[in-house]
Amino acid sequence: MDVKMVPSWKVRLAEEFEKPYFRSLIDFVKQEYRTQTIFPPGKEIFRAFDSCDFADVKVVIIGQDPYHGPNQANGLCFSVRDGIRMPPSLVNIFKEIHEDLGKPIPRSGDLERWSRQGVLLLNATLTVRAASPGSHQNKGWEMFTDAAIKKISEERENVVFLLWGAYAQKKGEVINRNKHLVLMSAHPSPFSADRGFFGCKHFSKANEYLKSKGLREIDW
């Protein structure tokens, strides 16, 4: 399987590609794409690693699964294709940005513009079967994305990690809090956004931290 990602990531994750779990994972994923409807499209599985260079990572947002509806998932967590109706969690993210920073809510839910500024939009699981959330969990993706998070924690410093909900917070346990800023809140889902996501001000806090380290702020 040709893994489409920028060289800086490919070099750092090369050892993962050779491990037995990853080979089994890819065999499983290939079979799923042959026999089922799987999201995102194959060429976008590793898009998070292809649109944000390792050296440019300033902020990491950790999601769980890709969206499992038609034409939604585009390889970036919480992001949807241009012209696709925004899912509720993304709507709530933009509401919080509006309240936090006063920015108007955009028409497009494609978050690639964040990636290009150094926001790694990483789902824990990079593929999913249509209409079947969680269907590709516990197949190996979590080990792979854990390795990526660990690389950032170990080799970079002054990165902001936004951990929304218990799942992301557990996944973030490997992050070195002495080198990085970790911000945690409830998940932006409609089921939990009122329990601490709204009002968390993570977007202004992230920018304040980046600015304090002499780094360019994110245009959310």
Side-chain angles (χ1 to χ4, degrees), residues 90-103:
L90 183 55
V91 170
N92 286 341
I93 289 168
F94 284 138
K95 281 182 182 175
E96 176 59 21
I97 292 170
H98 176 68
E99 290 299 318
D100 187 13
L101 297 171
K103 287 186 168 290

Side-chain angles (χ1 to χ4, degrees), residues 84-136:
I84 298 297
R85 184 180 177 182
M86 292 183 208
S89 291
L90 183 55
V91 170
N92 286 341
I93 289 168
F94 284 138
K95 281 182 182 175
E96 176 59 21
I97 292 170
H98 176 68
E99 290 299 318
D100 187 13
L101 297 171
K103 287 186 168 290
I105 292 173
R107 292 182 179 179
S108 172
D110 190 339
L111 302 180
E112 184 169 9
R113 63 189 183 84
W114 291 3
S115 290
R116 297 298 179 193
Q117 297 177 75
V119 182
L120 182 69
L121 296 163
L122 183 63
N123 276 315
T125 303
L126 299 188
T127 54
V128 71
R129 193 181 286 190
S132 186
S135 49
H136 285 191

